[in-house]
Amino acid sequence: MKKITLVLAIVFGSLIGRAQQNMVSIEGGWAIADLEEVSTSMNGWRIAGLYEFNPLAGKITHGISFGYVGMSTDVMVGGTSVRYELGSFPIYYAPGLLLGKEKFKFQLKGALGWQFSNVNRTGVLIDSKSSDAGIALGAGAGGLYNINPKTFLNFGYEFLFMDNSFYLDEFLHTFKLGIGFKF
């Protein structure tokens, strides 16, 4: 009886595992955020990797995203120009919802995680570096265009609420485009 139960558990477990669809994508795009320390906006770029799995090939996805954001701006402070360069490493859980047909799917995503940031300030009399970490919460919307059964393009908009001393509770907006693979 124990052997039959074990064999049935392995068979049913493998069927569920085969029904899971895995997706890996690499995304890049344009990023904008306000640096409240000097009341100005910064822009730059963002690159990210995303691993998602889709249990039973349904509408719900679960994923993990990690990447890098690099932004900079020049600000006049007291008659002198100061260059702010900000780098951030967001890592977060990304649940999602897929809606649509086989060729094109609309996607809604969430974000819950952590980010590590550093800022460099350089100018005539200033040369300082600082780092901090904080929570990252967000959401996004976009789409997946299936090129073939194993390859897709993804695009969309995402915002992250970044909470630390450099962003001071600000949103990071990202417009992104990427390529992904299903397996």
Side-chain angles (χ1 to χ4, degrees), residues 27 30-34 45-48 65-69 71 88-95 109-117 134-141 157-164 167-176:
E27 308 166 337
W30 180 51
I32 316 165
D34 286 336
W45 53 275
R46 178 177 177 185
I47 187 166
S65 177
F66 59 93
Y68 180 77
V69 180
M71 297 184 290
S88 185
F89 297 94
I91 301 169
Y92 54 85
Y93 166 65
K109 284 187 181 181
L112 172 61
W114 202 253
Q115 48 80 26
F116 305 92
S117 298
I135 196 165
L137 298 171
Y157 165 76
E158 181 179 83
F159 68 91
L160 286 175
F161 176 71
M162 309 281 273
D163 181 26
N164 67 27
Y167 284 106
L168 295 176
D169 304 332
E170 286 297 325
F171 287 102
L172 170 69
H173 304 271
T174 305
F175 299 93
K176 58 186 179 175

Side-chain angles (χ1 to χ4, degrees), residues 13 17 21 24 30 43 52 55 70 79 93 95 98 108-109 120 124 129 143 145 148 152 155 170 178:
Q21 183 179 52
V24 174
W30 180 51
N43 60 45
E52 293 178 290
Y93 166 65
L98 289 173
L108 296 172
K109 284 187 181 181
N120 298 328
V124 175
K129 297 179 181 183
Y145 177 76
N148 60 46
F152 62 92
F155 57 90
E170 286 297 325

Side-chain angles (χ1 to χ4, degrees), residues 3 6 30 38-39 67 80 90-91 101 103 162 164 182-183:
K3 289 181 184 180
L6 180 62
W30 180 51
V38 289
S39 298
T80 184
I91 301 169
K101 303 291 180 194
K103 194 70 170 169
M162 309 281 273
N164 67 27
K182 298 176 186 178
F183 55 96

